[in-house]
Amino acid sequence: MRRGRLRVYLGAAPGVGKTYRMLGEAHRRAERGTDVVVALVETHGRRRTAAMVEGLEVVPRRVVVHRGVELGELDVDAVLARRPEVALVDELAHTNAPGSRHEKRWQDVEDLLAAGIDVISTVNIQHLASLTDVVASITGVRQQETVPDEVVRRADQVELVDMTPEALRRRLAHGNVYAGETVDAALAQWFRPGNLTALRELALLWLADRVDDALEAYRAERGIAATWPARERVVVALTGGPEGETLVRRAARIARRGAGGELLAVHVVRDDGIAGAAPGALAAQRRLVEELGGSFHAVVGDDVADAVLDFARGVNASLLVLGVSRRRRLSVALRPGAGERVIQGSGAMDVHVVTHERAGSRRRRAPRRDPLGRRRRVAGWVLALAGPAALAAVLLATQDLHSLPTELMLFLTLTVVVALVGGLWPAVAGAVVGSLLVNFLFTPPVRTWTVADPENAFALGVFVAVAVAVASVVDLAARRSAQASRARAEAETLSLLAGSVLRGEVGVDAVLARLRETFAVRSVSLLERDDERSPWRCVRSSGAGPCAAPEEGDAEIVVSPRLALALQGRVLAAGDRRVLEAFAAHAATALERERLAADAARAQELEEGNSIRSALLAAVSHDLRTPLATSRAAVSSLLQQDVAFSPEDERALLSTVDEATSRLERLIDDLLDVSRIEADAVRVRLRPASLDEVLPGALAAVPPGAVEVDAPEDLPLVSTDPGLVERALANVVENAVRHAPRGSRVRVSAAVVPAPGGPVVQVRVVDRGPGVPDEDKPAMFRPFQRLGDAPAGAGTGLGLAVARGFLDAVGARVAAEDTPGGGLTMVVDLPLDGAGAPAAAGAGA
């Protein structure tokens, strides 16, 4: 069975019309004969959207009762039983009601796709998980419903639904998005022009990244190596020299000229002057690149220019930034450097050369012997063939000045020189040619190939043997030097990677991405299985076309019987496999580190649960025992037969019993309420209610004169459960009275104020007590929290936890603020009747 295809309409902001666009696509497909059903569409009371649903088959929703409220959710089983070709599922980031098949709606969509059903869905940009913090900093509202970015990135098609801020605000003002009574508040809060412009830019940039991924996959599938500068991607080549900071900052400014620009820094690791950078200088440049929003990459390459060009083409760079060479002008003229060769080989790619104060200054090179290259090989062969002839000509012109031993030593010296220049085989050829010339020209009888004297024949043989031995030693030394250089480069690359992994700076995805860049392969896949008989599964991948099993890759490394690494793109040499094994070990370490972090998070949750249970035991053992002991002591005194109490004493003892019993009753009620909240067993009955129904009961338990009330009589009705809100406000007010200084009064006020989701009735409980530090405010609402300034007899610390639970259940909000001049203000927002509990901005299209 084929997997279904997912199409997502991405809204740049709430109300741009993504649901309307989705329904239009459904009608077009239905007209072409496609079997389309509406699995779930939220119209939010919009007439034009509701009209678009007409004519399409609608799958009934599954009704879920949660806290006394009936909710309509996506009926996955019904859609699977119907098995349409295409299903419409609105609001991908929606959180399902408890008791549903999955927690999130996007997980329901995954079930439909796995069954082979194509799905068309919608989501707003502010609901993407990676943008939650950014959207909160822009709009001041943190989204509670999110969808992982990867879910949307994996969609087969993503279409942006956009609109100018001015046009969207006009649509909102005409009542085409929200109800009329909430329009003014929405225009003043979420739908400000600046907010809409920022959200629009976020959507365009996010979609640009997704399009860039698709472009890279297309180029990889078709083997396109040429650069397609579809976006500004700037690569800066770093040597680790002092000019690096100048290059990075210049490249960052170039990348920021256009929206969506990307900065990548590359350092080629090899054993020459350019790569011989101090680790501290290179680390500082890496930190600077990351601070400027770029990424740092180290690659291994025998030739710096080729390695830089290969990397730039691999990332589809539009511009290369290089620094002016630090070599002298004469040196550059005699032998072009890496920068000149990068310019010559860049092709259609632009190269930006940046001058700096170190340009033209002498570079300090570490003493080294270069490995054999093509130029040395050619020079060695020329010297091996032409050198003996030239030496023979010189010796013939001066033959009266020397003898045969001297001539043999000169030809042996020439052979050593050839070995130093060109290696083994040019030296062997030079030795053979030299021995033949010595035999023909200088060994009696001359001008013949015959050697009359056995001593001369022995000397020629020794000459050839010594020449070959010396050439072999020189060639071996040159090869060992090249191997040492490569090993040093590999060690430097792995050292940088290992340090990043051990410090926790990079995860599995970053390790795989670096591995793909280092070896220039198409894709890297990390595979895992439960045991040696289970099938492999891909847990992480980088690049296009991940592998499903190790044998599908062009190169594979088995880290353990349950973990393997597979590469696609080219077959690696034996030397490269050593580095690949080290990368595989680092990937396994990073994966284990991530899983340990997840286990630690779960352990933290269990530890918090244990802390709550320990606090509960402490409350039962102390706070319950204290009123019981007080009550029992008073009752025992009254039951004594040998003591006659006066009426006043009896009333005092009975009052003590009553007070202890009331305290015990409140404590038991709080414990039961916390248990109901933790078990999600609070029954909510929402109805229109006046604040006058709630405040008297909430203030009944406080001493007379301890509270000052300022609540207008003409406040609008709120949609809430009066009983739960009364209990919550009572706990908040009692907490304020308990912490207020003696003789001061707690002020309770109420008023209608604007809020992001619409106007609310805000109740403020103000005290002049010691206040609470900002870092302790979140802990106030957790069970069994008693801060250091809690007065004696302050209870178990359950009051505010119960208040938060009840207010959350009815769709209200409670927060703590500092009172100007000292003290604490508790702010409770109650949703107005008619608006209901306001939906989070962006819930519809």
Side-chain angles (χ1 to χ4, degrees), residues 286-602:
R286 176 178 61 83
R287 288 193 296 270
L288 177 61
V289 171
E290 295 172 351
E291 289 173 1
L292 295 176
S295 57
F296 184 89
H297 308 268
V299 299
V300 178
D302 295 331
D303 185 270
V304 175
D306 291 342
V308 170
L309 288 172
D310 289 342
F311 176 82
R313 295 189 186 102
V315 300
N316 198 24
S318 59
L319 180 67
L320 259 172
V321 176
L322 307 175
V324 174
S325 176
R326 286 181 281 140
R327 298 163 59 206
R328 297 290 189 184
R329 293 183 179 180
L330 180 59
S331 176
V332 173
L334 295 176
R335 184 171 64 87
E340 289 75 14
R341 287 184 286 122
V342 167
I343 296 173
Q344 294 172 2
S346 61
M349 191 186 315
D350 294 340
V351 179
H352 187 86
V353 180
V354 179
T355 186
H356 51 85
E357 60 182 8
R358 299 275 182 165
S361 61
R362 182 179 299 277
R363 301 173 60 196
R364 294 182 179 179
R365 293 172 174 260
R368 64 177 182 86
R369 184 167 53 207
D370 290 335
L372 299 180
R374 183 179 179 183
R375 293 183 179 181
R376 287 183 55 181
R377 292 291 186 185
V378 172
W381 281 107
V382 171
L383 187 60
L385 298 177
L391 179 60
V394 173
L395 293 176
L396 285 175
T398 60
Q399 58 183 351
D400 295 332
L401 302 177
H402 48 74
S403 60
L404 180 61
T406 302
E407 294 160 356
L408 289 176
M409 292 302 298
L410 290 175
F411 274 96
L412 179 60
T413 302
L414 177 62
T415 302
V416 173
V417 172
V418 172
L420 291 174
V421 174
L424 175 62
W425 296 112
V428 172
V432 172
V433 172
S435 65
L436 293 175
L437 289 177
V438 169
N439 178 38
F440 185 79
L441 297 175
F442 305 107
T443 305
V446 296
R447 304 297 191 276
T448 66
W449 299 109
T450 304
V451 181
D453 189 352
E455 186 177 351
N456 292 338
F458 178 77
L460 288 175
V462 171
F463 166 77
V464 173
V466 171
V468 171
V470 172
S472 300
V473 172
V474 173
D475 180 75
L476 181 62
R479 293 182 182 276
R480 290 291 183 265
S481 176
Q483 293 173 359
S485 300
R486 182 170 182 84
R488 188 181 305 173
E490 294 172 353
E492 185 176 349
T493 299
L494 293 177
S495 176
L496 289 174
L497 176 64
S500 300
V501 172
L502 294 177
R503 291 191 300 269
E505 297 175 357
V506 298
V508 179
D509 295 333
V511 174
L512 298 183
R514 289 192 181 184
L515 176 58
R516 180 170 59 89
E517 295 164 358
T518 301
F519 291 100
V521 294
R522 185 171 65 252
S523 70
V524 179
S525 304
L526 185 62
L527 307 172
E528 190 180 34
R529 58 183 177 181
D530 298 327
D531 52 58
E532 297 183 6
R533 296 183 179 180
S534 301
W536 291 95
R537 63 181 182 277
C538 181
V539 293
R540 297 290 177 83
S541 65
S542 176
C547 300
E551 54 269 19
E552 293 182 8
D554 298 315
E556 74 279 352
I557 290 294
V558 178
V559 184
S560 68
R562 295 170 50 189
L563 200 65
L565 198 67
L567 284 73
Q568 282 187 330
R570 67 183 181 94
V571 179
L572 300 182
D576 290 336
R577 293 185 66 85
R578 294 194 302 270
V579 183
L580 180 60
E581 290 174 357
F583 266 97
H586 288 313
T589 301
L591 181 64
E592 184 66 20
R593 189 186 189 94
E594 289 183 2
R595 291 178 174 174
L596 288 175
D599 292 339
R602 289 192 291 270

Side-chain angles (χ1 to χ4, degrees), residues 16-371:
V16 294
K18 61 186 186 301
T19 302
Y20 191 90
R21 187 81 64 86
M22 177 182 67
L23 291 170
E25 175 66 18
H27 280 286
R28 285 190 292 273
R29 296 197 183 196
E31 291 172 358
R32 295 194 297 264
T34 305
D35 182 16
V36 182
V37 301
V38 176
L40 189 143
V41 165
E42 301 287 358
T43 63
H44 297 285
R46 298 164 190 167
R47 293 189 300 273
R48 297 183 61 188
T49 304
M52 289 292 290
V53 179
E54 297 178 1
L56 297 173
E57 179 183 349
V58 179
V59 177
R61 301 190 183 193
R62 184 174 60 87
V63 178
V64 179
V65 178
H66 177 58
R67 294 177 177 175
V69 179
E70 292 187 353
L71 304 173
E73 299 289 356
L74 173 64
D75 194 337
V76 180
D77 295 327
V79 178
L80 293 175
R82 171 64 176 76
R83 295 200 62 81
E85 294 181 58
V86 180
L88 273 59
V89 181
D90 206 1
E91 297 184 2
L92 195 61
H94 172 76
T95 301
N96 294 328
S100 301
R101 176 192 283 237
H102 296 295
E103 179 185 0
K104 292 287 188 176
R105 186 168 292 168
W106 64 263
Q107 295 171 315
D108 297 335
V109 169
E110 287 292 326
D111 288 350
L112 301 182
L113 295 174
I117 300 173
D118 293 346
V119 176
I120 305 177
S121 188
T122 64
V123 69
N124 277 332
I125 189 65
Q126 70 265 22
H127 293 298
L128 296 180
S130 66
L131 302 178
T132 302
D133 293 340
V134 179
V135 173
S137 65
I138 294 172
T139 64
V141 178
R142 178 172 292 275
Q143 300 298 320
Q144 301 300 322
E145 295 187 333
T146 61
V147 59
D149 290 46
E150 188 61 27
V151 174
V152 184
R153 286 188 182 275
R154 289 199 307 263
D156 299 278
Q157 297 182 59
V158 179
E159 182 174 339
L160 179 64
V161 184
D162 191 14
M163 182 177 291
T164 63
E166 295 76 12
L168 182 55
R169 285 172 59 85
R170 283 197 301 271
R171 174 181 287 186
L172 187 71
H174 294 159
N176 296 330
V177 179
Y178 294 137
E181 60 272 14
T182 63
V183 169
D184 292 339
L187 287 172
Q189 298 291 330
W190 180 275
F191 290 87
R192 294 195 298 268
N195 289 0
L196 297 178
T197 302
L199 292 174
R200 191 183 188 195
E201 183 175 11
L202 283 177
L204 291 171
L205 292 177
W206 189 93
L207 191 61
D209 287 337
R210 202 267 183 185
V211 173
D212 191 65
D213 292 340
L215 178 61
E216 289 299 320
Y218 177 85
R219 296 175 71 243
E221 290 173 0
R222 288 158 178 78
I224 300 174
T227 301
W228 288 8
R231 66 182 296 183
E232 192 71 19
R233 184 175 281 111
V234 181
V235 172
V236 53
L238 299 178
T239 66
E243 75 281 1
E245 181 177 348
T246 301
L247 300 183
V248 170
R249 296 191 184 278
R250 179 66 61 85
R253 289 197 295 270
I254 296 173
R256 286 196 295 263
R257 287 176 182 173
E262 187 176 355
L263 173 65
L264 301 94
V266 60
H267 171 67
V268 180
V269 182
R270 55 166 300 199
D271 186 28
D272 58 15
I274 295 180
L282 202 59
Q285 293 176 15
R286 176 178 61 83
R287 288 193 296 270
L288 177 61
V289 171
E290 295 172 351
E291 289 173 1
L292 295 176
S295 57
F296 184 89
H297 308 268
V299 299
V300 178
D302 295 331
D303 185 270
V304 175
D306 291 342
V308 170
L309 288 172
D310 289 342
F311 176 82
R313 295 189 186 102
V315 300
N316 198 24
S318 59
L319 180 67
L320 259 172
V321 176
L322 307 175
V324 174
S325 176
R326 286 181 281 140
R327 298 163 59 206
R328 297 290 189 184
R329 293 183 179 180
L330 180 59
S331 176
V332 173
L334 295 176
R335 184 171 64 87
E340 289 75 14
R341 287 184 286 122
V342 167
I343 296 173
Q344 294 172 2
S346 61
M349 191 186 315
D350 294 340
V351 179
H352 187 86
V353 180
V354 179
T355 186
H356 51 85
E357 60 182 8
R358 299 275 182 165
S361 61
R362 182 179 299 277
R363 301 173 60 196
R364 294 182 179 179
R365 293 172 174 260
R368 64 177 182 86
R369 184 167 53 207
D370 290 335

